[in-house]
Amino acid sequence: RVQVVESGGGSVQSGGSLRLTCAASGYTYSDYCMGWFRQAPGKEREAVAGIYTAGSRTAYADSVKGRFTISRDHAKNTLYLQMNGLKLEDTAMYYCALGTHYSDYELSDPRAYNYWGQGTQVTVSS
């Protein structure tokens, strides 16, 4: 069965860096896209970054552009999110998402994804 598992979260001081990793397994066909979303307490889930499998086109939330980088190792079926210059407002639970089939939805739309991980906590302190 398809599984999506995040790791790499933790606590870091403002201005610091973290790299999140997402391992996807349980399927052998080519998927369509992968992405990162986050949800802070009391707030709605928001898209952070996404990447298409074909062509590797990426998309970022305005709030993380220039600070975060999404990348993928196709051989390992692993997704990464390099987070630099972390800010207090980046504190949230970060979720990895996998879209296994084509859809008309943008990378920022949760409906583009059909498998989700359990999340990894990122806490930024001053």
Side-chain angles (χ1 to χ4, degrees):
R1 99 185 192 278
V2 177
Q3 286 188 299
V4 177
V5 180
E6 308 96 335
S7 61
S11 297
V12 63
Q13 287 194 319
S14 181
S17 299
L18 281 174
R19 188 175 83 154
L20 303 184
T21 299
C22 173
S25 62
Y27 64 104
T28 57
Y29 47 84
S30 181
D31 53 58
Y32 181 62
C33 61
M34 294 189 77
W36 291 97
F37 289 74
R38 67 186 181 187
Q39 187 167 21
K43 295 188 176 181
E44 292 188 355
R45 179 177 53 183
E46 63 172 347
V48 176
I51 184 168
Y52 288 111
T53 300
S56 297
R57 185 168 69 87
T58 59
Y60 294 91
D62 288 342
S63 59
V64 306
K65 281 180 182 176
R67 300 188 297 123
F68 291 11
T69 303
I70 189 171
S71 62
R72 182 160 180 189
D73 185 331
H74 292 280
K76 297 180 180 179
N77 233 8
T78 300
L79 181 73
Y80 303 99
L81 185 68
Q82 179 65 45
M83 305 185 294
N84 299 326
L86 283 161
K87 304 177 180 180
L88 296 177
E89 52 264 40
D90 294 318
T91 295
M93 185 71 79
Y94 283 70
Y95 298 92
C96 176
L98 167 67
T100 56
H101 298 92
Y102 171 83
S103 77
D104 290 331
Y105 300 113
E106 296 292 328
L107 289 173
S108 59
D109 194 323
R111 292 172 293 181
Y113 307 89
N114 52 338
Y115 292 97
W116 294 80
Q118 294 297 307
T120 185
Q121 179 68 36
V122 172
T123 302
V124 184
S125 60
S126 58

